[in-house]
Amino acid sequence: ETGVTQSPTHLIKTRGQQVTLRCSSQSGHNTVSWYQQALGQGPQFIFQYYREEENGRGNFPPRFSGLQFPNYSSELNVNALELDDSALYLCASSLKIDFLNTEAFFGQGTRLTVV
Amino acid sequence: KNQVEQSPQSLIILEGKNCTLQCNYTVSPFSNLRWYKQDTGRGPVSLTIMTFSENTKSNGRYTATLDADTKQSSLHITASQLSDSASYICVVSFQTGANNLFFGTGTRLTVIP
């Protein structure tokens, strides 16, 4: 196991609602990246948090937001859910040393279904 | 343009047989190349990771090779098992930056009895 845990594992929400997904990073890691993976597609980068600050963002609207806490765990929040937000959401934990990336470890994912 | 392409897109093999999956990339400069196994609806699990100076890396029945000159990698699976049925993803990474992982399109492997 990677030591990266995500919760919940499955979630069903109604269009227009808000959702919060959680990720506990591996011990000693200071960086968390979030990805959206639609069925049959590769993961798409949402954003990365490094030492509690957003460190980069992909092509996702502002209704996708995040947080990183002092223990380096992280949350992904999505407001005003749309049907197309249905996907597997992955978080990846890594250690960034002087802005150099080490290997990322993925959580098991949260399967979000918007109806 | 930084890209990672994998072939074949899908593969069906008999249990006990060997198979080889291919990955070609144009990512440059790259830090390392990783092969992941992803079961449907689950997060990717790392099989091997190689830096540009490594040619081969094994993990049990999985052996990855890397040719940094031709920018090609392969993943060889020996004596396949039913539990090997999954998607196999090649991921090439930059050493720096936030969005530093470039994901391949994946190969869907199905092992049948």
Side-chain angles (χ1 to χ4, degrees), chain A residues 6-12 21 88 109-113, chain B residues 41-42:
Chain A
Q6 292 185 242
S7 62
T9 55
H10 296 85
L11 199 55
I12 299 175
L21 310 182
L88 180 70
T110 293
R111 167 66 65 186
L112 172 65
T113 302
Chain B
R42 306 282 294 177

Side-chain angles (χ1 to χ4, degrees), chain A:
Chain A
E1 297 300 322
T2 64
V4 181
T5 57
Q6 292 185 242
S7 62
T9 55
H10 296 85
L11 199 55
I12 299 175
K13 287 286 190 179
T14 303
R15 189 172 50 183
Q17 283 189 311
Q18 178 265 343
V19 68
T20 297
L21 310 182
R22 295 178 176 82
C23 173
S24 294
S25 57
Q26 188 174 72
S27 177
H29 283 184
N30 57 14
T31 303
V32 173
S33 304
W34 285 92
Y35 296 85
Q36 180 194 68
Q37 186 176 21
L39 196 62
Q41 304 292 317
Q44 299 296 312
F45 177 73
I46 303 175
F47 44 55
Q48 181 183 85
Y49 278 82
Y50 169 55
R51 292 184 175 179
E52 303 179 56
E53 298 284 335
E54 187 178 290
N55 186 48
R57 189 179 183 92
N59 188 26
F60 280 81
R63 59 189 185 84
F64 285 77
S65 63
L67 280 175
Q68 188 177 32
F69 300 98
N71 67 355
Y72 299 129
S73 65
S74 177
E75 286 183 354
L76 164 65
N77 299 290
V78 187
N79 293 324
L81 283 167
E82 301 177 358
L83 297 179
D84 285 348
D85 295 334
S86 295
L88 180 70
Y89 288 84
L90 300 168
C91 82
S93 158
S94 61
L95 176 63
K96 201 181 287 286
I97 303 172
D98 294 333
F99 297 99
L100 299 180
N101 299 308
T102 62
E103 181 176 7
F105 293 89
F106 285 87
Q108 80 277 20
T110 293
R111 167 66 65 186
L112 172 65
T113 302
V114 182
V115 297

Side-chain angles (χ1 to χ4, degrees), chain B:
Chain B
K1 183 180 178 182
N2 292 310
Q3 285 186 315
V4 181
E5 295 182 347
Q6 292 184 242
S7 61
Q9 190 172 33
S10 62
L11 185 61
I12 301 175
I13 62 173
L14 291 173
E15 185 180 11
K17 297 295 186 182
N18 304 335
C19 66
T20 300
L21 314 180
Q22 300 291 341
C23 173
N24 297 330
Y25 62 92
T26 59
V27 178
S28 181
F30 96 97
S31 172
N32 55 62
L33 185 147
R34 319 166 201 197
W35 283 93
Y36 286 92
K37 176 186 179 186
Q38 186 174 26
D39 294 316
T40 301
R42 306 282 294 177
V45 175
S46 180
L47 297 174
T48 63
I49 178 170
M50 290 183 290
T51 65
F52 66 89
S53 62
E54 295 177 288
N55 299 121
T56 186
K57 183 74 69 79
S58 290
N59 178 6
R61 295 181 296 104
Y62 302 102
T63 300
T65 64
L66 173 64
D67 186 333
D69 292 330
T70 62
K71 295 187 169 63
Q72 295 179 326
S73 177
S74 66
L75 180 69
H76 186 73
I77 304 175
T78 304
S80 61
Q81 301 175 356
L82 298 179
S83 59
D84 292 333
S85 296
S87 289
Y88 291 83
I89 306 174
C90 172
V91 182
V92 184
S93 65
F94 279 150
Q95 195 172 27
T96 60
N99 185 13
N100 66 308
L101 300 183
F102 291 86
F103 293 84
T105 48
T107 293
R108 178 69 202 177
L109 174 66
T110 303
V111 181
I112 58 175

